[in-house]
Amino acid sequence: MKNTTLALILISVFLWVSCTTQKRNHMAKTDKKVNELIAQMTLEEKIGQLVQKNGDSFSDSLVRSGGLGSVLNLVNVDEINRIQAIAVEESRLGIPILFARDVIHGFKTIMPIPLGQAASWNPQLIRKGAEIASIEARSSGIRWTFAPMIDVTRDPRWGRIAESFGEDPYLTSVLAKASVEGYQGDNLAHKNALVACAKHLAAYGAAEAGRDYHTVTLPENELRDVYLPPFKAAVDAQAGTFMNAFNEINGIPATGHELLLRQILRGEWSYDGMVVSDWSSVQQMVVHGYATDEKDAALKAIHAGVDMEMASTCYENYLIELVEEGLVSETLIDEAVANILRLKYRMGLFDNPYTNPSDYPELVNDTHRMVSKESAKESLVLLKNNSELLPLTTDIKSVAIIGPLADQPHDQMGTWVFDGDKSYSITPLQSLKSFLGNKRVNYAPGMEISRTMHKRGFDAAIKAARQSEVVLLFIGEESILSGESHCRADISLPGIQSDLIQAIAATGKPIVGIVLAGRPLTFEKEAEFLDAIIYAWHPGTMAGPAIQDILFGFDAPSGKLPVTFPRTVGQIPLYYAQKNSGKPASDETWERMYDIPVEAPQLSVGNTNHYIDYGFRPWFPFGFGLTYTTFEYSDVSVESGTYNLGDSIRFSAVITNTGKFEAKETAQLYIRDLVGSRTRPVKELKAFSKVNIKPGESRKIEFLVSTDQLGFHNQQMKYVTEPGEFKAGIGGNSDVELTLDFKIN
Ligand code: NOJ
C-alpha cells in the first residue's frame, strides 16, 4: 500500500516536472522567435506593430509596409483574409495582423447582458456562453475580443453596469476566470479560441456620480482590495490581453498610470501578455490635461506600459521622433513589440493566419440557442411572488400581454451587440403566442417604447387586461438606455410606464411584472401594484422561451442579484460590503422624517448613519432572489473555533428544500473581520455554491476558505491577513446573519 502511494506521488511529481519543463521550453522557444524577428525589424516596422486601426481607416499600402499590427471592427471574413494575405505574403517580414472586435455577450447568438449572466451565479454557464461567442466570432475571422469587462461597480446610474458582473470583487473574480477560460479554452492556438481582454484597468466603475469616463478618486487600498482582484484573477487565468481604462485615478489617467500598468500588472503580477489602450485614450491624455500634446501623450503612454494604441495616432506619428530625440529608448519599443509578437506566436497566428469559415458550425445553431436559453433562464431573478401567483398553470384561459418590452427583438438583446441580429430573437410575445395559441393571448402594448410619453395605447391595454385572467406586464428600459456613455441620473421607469402600471392595476387583475433592463431600476412604489416581479435584465436572443419556462414552472427561477437594488437614486452608492462607521443605523435608531415633531431639537433622536426619508436599507440586497420553493438552512457551522495563518477553514451547512418545487439554491458564505488595522467591511462574500435540490431533500454544502483569502491591504499597502476574531454566516443572500465565530492566531 505504502509503495503504491509512493509510486503515485513520484509519478505525479515526474508529470508535473516534465509538464513545467515542456511549458518552459515552449516559452523559451517563443521568446527566441520573438527576439529573432525583432532583430530583423526596422524601427518603422516595430512601431507598426503597436498600431491598431479601425476597419475603415487604413489602406492596403499601410499593411504592405508593415505599418499595422491590429485592426478592429472588420467582420467580413473575405475582407479579413484579403488583408491578412497582404500582411503575410506581401509585407517584408510577413507578420500577420490581429483582428479584434467587441464580442461582449455573444456574437450572433446573444447571451444575457453580463450583469444578467452574473445573476446566474453559474460560472459554467458563463464559460459556455463565452465558448459559443468565440466559435461564432472565429468563423468570421475575429481572433481577439475586448471582453470580459470586469470592472466592479457600485453605481447603477453608470450605463456600463450592464456590461459588468456587478458590485462584488469575489463574484466578479470567479466569473472573470470563467469568462477568460471560455473565450480562450486551454490552448490559445486552437481554432475555436478567441484571445480575451481583461478590461478596463482600472476602477472605471468607480466614476464619480456614475457618469461615464468621469473622475475617479480612490484610496490605493480600496483600489487594490475592491477593484483589482478580478484583474488578478484574469492574470491567473492567463488572459492574453489587458485594456487600460479611460478614466483618471487620483489625477493620473489610467493610460499613463505607471503604478497600475508597470508596477502592479507587470511587476507584482508578472504579466507577460499585451496591453492595449482604450479607444483614443492615449490622445485623450491631452484632453485630460495630463499631456501637453499628442507627442507627450505617446511618451507618457509608452513609458506607462501601453503596448498598442487603439484608434488615435500618437504612437504612429511621434514614436520615431521620440526615439530619435532619445526620449524613448528603442529597448522600450522592443518590449512593447515583444509583448505583441509573443501573443501572435502563442495564438498560432503565424502558422494559421487565415480563417476558413467551413471549419466552423452554423451560426445561431440549436446548441448555441440552447445555451443562450439556459443562460437567460438562470439570469432571471424572482423579486416578488405574492400568493404564489407564479408559476401560472398551463391551462390558463387567457393572458394579457402588455407593456413596451414584450415584443422588442432588438432591445431584448441588450447593449453591445455589434453583430447581434434581431431576426434571430424570439420575443416573449412570439413565444407565448406559439405556446398558448393566438386565442388565449390578448396583446396590447399600451406604449410603443419604454420612453413613450402619451397614453394613446392605454385603452386597448386596459381592455386586454379586462379580458384576461392574468396580466403579463413587460416593463423596463430599452437597450439604448444603458451601456457605454448611457448613464442615467434618474433610474426610475422611463416614459409613462408608471401611469400604465396604475391604469392596468385599476382593472383588479393579477399582474406579473417582467422587467427588462440594463441596470437596477428604482420602482418601489410601482412595484406595490405588481403581484409578482421577474427581473429579466436584457436576456438576449432566447428571452421569450426562457421567460416562458419560468412563468409556467417548467423550471424554477434561480437568479440572485449581483448588485444591490436601491430604493431611490439618492442612496447610491449602496452596497452590502459597506463599513460599519462609528454610528451604524438600525431599525430602532432610524428617525423617520414624518414622525419628527415640529421644532424638535437638532440632536434629539436617532444619531446614526441613515437617511431620515429612506432609512438605511436597500430595496433588495445583493444576493437576493426567490424561487417557487423555500429553502431552510440548518447546521450552519465552522469546523473549529481557532485557526493559524495558512490554514484552510472549513464551513458547512445543510440546505433543505421545504417546498413543493425542485429548484436551485445559491448558498453564499459571508465573513467579517471584526477588528483590523484598517476597518473592514461588515460582510464580504468569500464563497458560493449553486445546488439543485428536490422537494423534501437536504443537501450538505461545504466551503473551504484559506486564511489568505481573508486579507486586505494594510497601512503599509501590504496584503495581510491579521490575526483576530472573525464572524461568518451562510445563507441565501447578503442579509444573512453572521452567527459563526472563529479566531485566527
Ligand atoms: C471603448 C470601450 O470603452 C471599450 O470597452 C471597447 O472595447 C472599445 N471602445 C472598442 O470598441
Side-chain angles (χ1 to χ4, degrees):
M1 182 65 186
K2 265 191 189 157
N3 285 347
T4 331
T5 318
L6 189 67
L8 279 176
I9 292 174
L10 285 175
I11 291 171
S12 316
V13 171
F14 172 76
L15 285 176
W16 182 81
V17 170
S18 69
C19 238
T20 320
T21 320
Q22 243 180 26
K23 217 168 147 193
R24 220 177 278 136
N25 288 344
H26 192 72
M27 277 164 70
K29 264 194 204 152
T30 306
D31 281 341
K32 190 164 171 264
K33 283 189 205 161
V34 167
N35 293 337
E36 282 169 4
L37 188 51
I38 290 180
Q40 298 172 53
M41 293 169 84
T42 62
L43 183 57
E44 285 78 1
E45 282 164 336
K46 288 176 184 173
I47 289 162
Q49 285 305 303
L50 317 189
V51 173
Q52 182 182 58
K53 284 186 183 283
N54 199 45
D56 60 4
S57 49
F58 65 90
S59 61
D60 289 0
S61 56
L62 184 73
V63 180
R64 204 167 284 118
S65 70
L68 193 57
S70 174
V71 170
L72 76 158
N73 295 336
L74 263 189
V75 277
N76 179 317
V77 67
D78 296 331
E79 180 62 0
I80 287 179
N81 281 337
R82 187 187 72 79
I83 292 166
Q84 193 67 298
I86 300 177
V88 172
E89 286 155 40
E90 298 177 29
S91 77
R92 195 176 73 88
L93 294 169
I95 304 174
I97 303 264
L98 182 45
F99 291 93
R101 180 73 157 167
D102 289 285
V103 182
I104 309 292
H105 51 110
F107 183 69
K108 279 274 182 271
T109 307
I110 303 298
M111 308 293 152
I113 53 169
L115 191 60
Q117 291 188 48
S120 75
W121 294 59
N122 187 337
Q124 282 82 11
L125 262 184
I126 283 157
R127 186 176 294 124
K128 270 195 197 154
E131 255 169 50
I132 286 164
S134 292
I135 294 171
E136 291 195 349
R138 282 294 306 256
S139 74
S140 297
I142 314 296
R143 306 293 282 252
W144 176 21
T145 176
F146 300 129
M149 193 271 233
I150 49 178
D151 294 308
V152 166
T153 184
R154 294 167 167 186
D155 199 325
R157 292 170 298 186
W158 191 46
R160 296 195 84 165
I161 194 171
E163 200 188 338
S164 82
F165 291 135
E167 76 179 42
D168 187 64
Y170 177 75
L171 179 61
T172 303
S173 300
V174 173
L175 304 186
K177 175 176 186 289
S179 187
V180 169
E181 289 172 356
Y183 287 121
Q184 298 191 162
D186 52 15
N187 173 10
L188 267 190
H190 191 276
K191 78 173 179 29
N192 292 345
L194 205 54
V195 177
C197 182
K199 72 185 189 185
H200 309 83
L201 195 69
Y204 186 30
E208 242 171 45
R211 273 165 70 189
D212 213 355
Y213 321 124
H214 212 32
T215 309
V216 172
T217 309
L218 195 65
E220 191 180 326
N221 65 303
E222 288 290 307
L223 172 73
R224 286 177 179 271
D225 288 340
V226 177
Y227 294 89
L228 292 187
F231 290 96
K232 175 63 169 56
V235 170
D236 293 343
Q238 294 175 13
T241 69
F242 265 61
M243 185 188 293
N244 69 250
F246 278 129
N247 53 282
E248 65 155 74
I249 305 165
N250 306 332
I252 301 171
T255 317
H257 215 293
E258 293 196 29
L259 168 73
L260 270 180
L261 302 177
R262 287 236 178 255
Q263 186 181 316
I264 299 179
L265 183 63
R266 299 283 181 202
E268 296 173 25
W269 297 347
S270 309
Y271 181 67
D272 71 349
M274 184 245 271
V275 175
V276 65
S277 79
D278 203 343
W279 183 280
S280 289
S281 76
V282 177
Q283 181 274 333
Q284 284 165 23
M285 285 203 283
V286 180
V287 190
H288 275 285
Y290 187 68
T292 45
D293 52 24
E294 294 192 1
K295 184 172 169 186
D296 190 31
L299 176 76
K300 290 192 159 119
I302 195 83
H303 273 289
V306 175
D307 301 316
M308 182 179 277
E309 180 182 14
M310 183 195 293
S312 52
T313 51
C314 309
Y315 280 12
E316 188 183 3
N317 294 341
Y318 298 106
L319 276 182
I320 292 191
E321 242 172 86
L322 286 164
V323 172
E324 284 168 357
E325 288 165 13
L327 292 169
V328 170
S329 71
E330 197 157 344
T331 321
L332 197 62
I333 304 281
D334 287 355
E335 272 174 30
V337 178
N339 292 335
I340 293 163
L341 293 180
R342 198 179 305 117
L343 176 70
K344 289 186 177 180
Y345 276 114
R346 277 184 187 164
M347 62 192 283
L349 202 56
F350 284 87
D351 297 330
N352 292 302
Y354 302 111
T355 299
N356 180 359
S358 63
D359 287 345
Y360 295 91
E362 200 195 330
L363 296 168
V364 204
N365 59 44
D366 286 349
T367 317
H368 296 187
R369 284 164 178 272
M370 261 253 295
V371 173
S372 167
K373 180 179 166 188
E374 278 313 300
S375 188
K377 215 162 30 174
E378 292 209 18
S379 76
L380 305 180
V381 185
L382 182 67
L383 293 178
K384 180 177 181 182
N385 193 17
N386 282 1
S387 320
E388 296 188 356
L389 174 59
L390 293 177
L392 303 173
T393 59
T394 51
D395 56 8
I396 192 161
K397 290 202 187 60
S398 54
V399 300
I401 297 184
I402 298 175
L405 284 148
D407 193 30
Q408 302 289 359
H410 172 77
D411 289 302
Q412 74 181 37
M413 292 193 292
T415 185
W416 274 127
V417 284
F418 280 168
D419 302 289
D421 177 344
K422 68 176 181 179
S423 68
Y424 293 111
S425 292
I426 304 179
T427 69
L429 179 70
Q430 289 166 351
S431 191
L432 289 160
K433 268 190 169 172
S434 80
F435 176 61
L436 295 168
N438 282 343
K439 279 200 183 135
R440 288 201 277 166
V441 171
N442 298 311
Y443 173 59
M447 295 165 65
E448 290 102 28
I449 58 169
S450 69
R451 287 168 290 162
T452 297
M453 292 303 289
H454 65 79
K455 295 186 177 175
R456 291 197 283 278
F458 275 31
D459 285 348
I462 293 166
K463 190 170 160 212
R466 288 212 176 103
Q467 288 170 341
S468 310
E469 251 180 78
V470 67
V471 176
L472 304 179
L473 192 51
F474 291 87
I475 50 180
E477 56 178 11
E478 299 147 68
S479 57
I480 196 63
L481 302 187
S482 61
E484 184 174 346
S485 77
H486 290 100
C487 305
R488 297 182 57 198
D490 169 5
I491 54 168
S492 61
L493 290 166
I496 47 161
Q497 292 185 76
S498 188
D499 295 343
L500 179 65
I501 293 170
Q502 290 179 52
I504 301 301
T507 65
K509 298 291 174 153
I511 307 177
V512 182
I514 299 123
V515 188
L516 279 78
R519 57 161 66 77
L521 295 174
T522 49
F523 59 106
E524 195 183 16
K525 291 202 178 84
E526 291 87 345
E528 292 295 314
F529 298 104
L530 307 173
D531 301 278
I533 303 173
I534 294 175
Y535 214 84
W537 320 100
H538 288 127
T541 303
M542 298 298 279
I547 292 172
Q548 178 180 301
D549 269 13
I550 296 295
L551 284 174
F552 287 93
F554 296 113
D555 221 328
S558 66
K560 300 263 190 180
L561 299 178
V563 60
T564 303
F565 271 43
R567 299 178 59 207
T568 183
V569 80
Q571 291 179 296
I572 299 167
L574 186 67
Y575 49 94
Y576 83 91
Q578 62 182 11
K579 301 291 189 71
N580 209 30
S581 87
K583 289 177 173 238
S586 68
D587 285 320
E588 293 71 48
T589 58
W590 171 15
E591 189 192 15
R592 287 144 178 92
M593 190 159 93
Y594 291 101
D595 296 342
I596 301 175
V598 177
E599 296 193 5
Q602 170 68 19
L603 295 176
S604 50
V605 269
N607 298 311
T608 61
N609 68 353
H610 64 269
Y611 296 102
I612 54 175
D613 49 359
Y614 277 87
F616 59 97
R617 288 187 198 285
W619 185 20
F620 295 105
F622 173 83
F624 177 84
L626 303 169
T627 185
Y628 297 154
T629 190
T630 40
F631 293 110
E632 241 174 59
Y633 284 75
S634 59
D635 299 332
V636 176
S637 62
V638 56
E639 195 178 38
S640 153
T642 314
Y643 293 89
N644 293 319
L645 283 174
D647 284 352
S648 287
I649 311 170
R650 191 180 296 274
F651 299 92
S652 63
V654 173
I655 313 174
T656 305
N657 182 338
T658 50
K660 297 193 196 80
F661 242 90
E662 177 170 346
K664 296 189 187 84
E665 167 69 339
T666 300
Q668 302 155 39
L669 167 73
Y670 293 90
I671 297 185
R672 177 173 182 187
D673 179 352
L674 292 187
V675 180
S677 59
R678 279 188 201 274
T679 58
R680 308 298 308 128
V682 292
K683 268 170 199 167
E684 289 179 288
L685 180 73
K686 291 296 173 188
F688 63 89
S689 168
K690 190 166 187 173
V691 282
N692 190 67
I693 313 181
K694 295 201 167 75
E697 191 193 352
S698 292
R699 292 274 302 262
K700 182 171 178 181
I701 45 146
E702 285 194 339
F703 296 119
L704 210 57
V705 173
S706 81
T707 59
D708 192 45
Q709 279 175 266
L710 305 182
F712 61 94
H713 286 85
N714 68 10
Q715 294 184 36
Q716 288 70 43
M717 216 49 74
K718 231 181 117 204
Y719 183 82
V720 286
T721 301
E722 292 184 341
E725 313 257 339
F726 292 76
K727 273 191 164 298
I730 300 174
N733 68 66
S734 62
D735 242 0
V736 63
E737 209 186 320
L738 306 185
T739 52
L740 306 174
D741 297 291
F742 65 95
K743 210 172 145 185
I744 298 180
N745 289 322

